[in-house]
């Protein structure tokens, strides 16, 4: 089978990690590959905050509503919708950004963040690592903003854990609704 399709068919959220380290050279490649994800109007309005510090990861686990699997991850990446960089670029040409004040800005940022999340997870999984998306960080966005030192015009929308999967206790692949009731042709 095509190895990318095989990886996609086998993907599941992984919440049990061995505690071993994600190799820095793998993480470098994961970040580089994820950066190649598309963004709306090539705005590149996503930034990542990569956390390896275990105390900070433990705080994120707490802010996400007390999720122990987050605390046990080796790496936590926050996907940040970032109009701060664009504001800088616009100020350079004496203009003000407006997208951050529109529903379109929220939607474009949220779509781009979701695409980025998937790109990060797919790249991490290609090295055999386990991941889980963590939307729980939105339970305490103000605390996340403070913890990560995020500037104005940014929002920590979602994150992902990355760790070495504990294969002995990994969850099975979760079933999906029948493909015919998910993907419909023409209508
Ligand atoms: C945007 C988003 C946010 C999520 N947030 C959390 C979370 O905070 N904690 C968690 O354990 N799982 C979280 N998940 C994982 C989902 O629960 C999981 O993808 C779903 O149950 C399907 O299981 P599977 O990924 O194993 O197929 C999130 C998934 C997505 C896409």
């Amino acid at each position: 089978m095509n190895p990318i399709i095989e990886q996609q068919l086998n993907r599941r959220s992984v919440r049990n990690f061995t505690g071993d380290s994600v190799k820095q050279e793998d993480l470098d490649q994961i970040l580089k590959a994820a950066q190649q994800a598309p963004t709306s109007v090539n705005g590149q309005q996503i930034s990542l905050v990569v956390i390896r510090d275990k105390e900070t990861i433990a705080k994120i686990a707490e802010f996400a509503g007390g999720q122990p699997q987050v605390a046990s991850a080796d790496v936590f990446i926050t996907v940040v919708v970032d109009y701060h960089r664009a504001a800088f670029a616009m100020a350079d040409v004496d203009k003000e950004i407006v997208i951050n004040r529109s529903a379109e800005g929220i939607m474009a940022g949220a779509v781009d963040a979701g695409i980025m999340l998937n790109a990060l997870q797919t790249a991490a999984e290609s090295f055999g690592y386990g991941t889980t998306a963590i939307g729980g960080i939105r339970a305490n966005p103000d605390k996340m903003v403070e913890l990560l030192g995020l500037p104005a015009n940014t929002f920590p929308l979602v994150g992902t854990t990355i760790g070495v999967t504990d294969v002995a206790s990994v969850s099975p692949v979760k079933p999906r609704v029948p493909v015919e009731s998910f993907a419909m042709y023409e209508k």
Side-chain angles (χ1 to χ4, degrees):
M1 192 191 286
N2 170 332
I4 294 175
I5 299 292
E6 193 176 4
Q7 182 186 318
Q8 288 183 295
L9 289 175
N10 278 315
R11 84 140 288 290
R12 82 281 315 258
S13 296
V14 171
R15 298 183 180 85
N16 294 76
F17 301 111
T18 62
D20 292 328
S21 278
V22 171
K23 288 187 198 140
Q24 187 59 47
E25 61 261 36
D26 294 347
L27 189 53
D28 292 342
Q29 286 193 66
I30 291 164
L31 297 174
K32 188 79 190 143
Q35 199 186 9
Q36 204 54 36
T39 58
S40 179
V41 297
N42 195 23
Q44 301 182 54
Q45 47 258 333
I46 298 294
S47 293
L48 306 178
V49 183
V50 182
I51 306 293
R52 301 211 71 152
D53 179 77
K54 297 297 169 287
E55 279 181 26
T56 308
I57 293 176
K59 281 198 185 121
I60 293 171
E62 184 193 321
F63 297 162
Q67 299 200 38
Q69 83 278 11
V70 174
S72 69
D74 190 52
V75 175
F76 189 90
I77 302 180
T78 305
V79 179
V80 179
V81 178
D82 180 359
Y83 291 118
H84 180 71
R85 194 192 296 118
F88 257 100
M90 292 294 274
D92 222 34
V93 288
D94 285 330
K95 292 211 157 84
E96 202 187 335
I97 55 161
V98 290
I99 191 164
N100 56 325
R101 287 189 246 130
S102 68
E104 173 59 17
I106 295 170
M107 288 191 282
V111 170
D112 290 1
I115 292 170
M116 181 58 68
L117 173 72
N118 186 249
L120 284 166
Q121 294 192 323
T122 302
E125 285 153 16
S126 78
F127 285 103
Y129 296 117
T131 69
T132 294
I134 304 295
I137 59 169
R138 292 197 303 279
N140 282 296
D142 47 345
K143 289 186 178 160
M144 285 295 293
V145 164
E146 191 186 349
L147 181 71
L148 304 180
L150 298 179
N153 296 322
T154 65
F155 190 81
L157 199 64
V158 70
T160 183
T161 55
I162 307 179
V164 176
T165 304
D166 181 356
V167 285
S169 59
V170 76
S171 308
V173 169
K174 276 192 197 164
R176 298 299 194 247
V177 296
V179 73
E180 312 80 56
S181 66
F182 156 69
M184 285 141 272
Y185 285 92
E186 316 307 341
K187 292 274 187 187

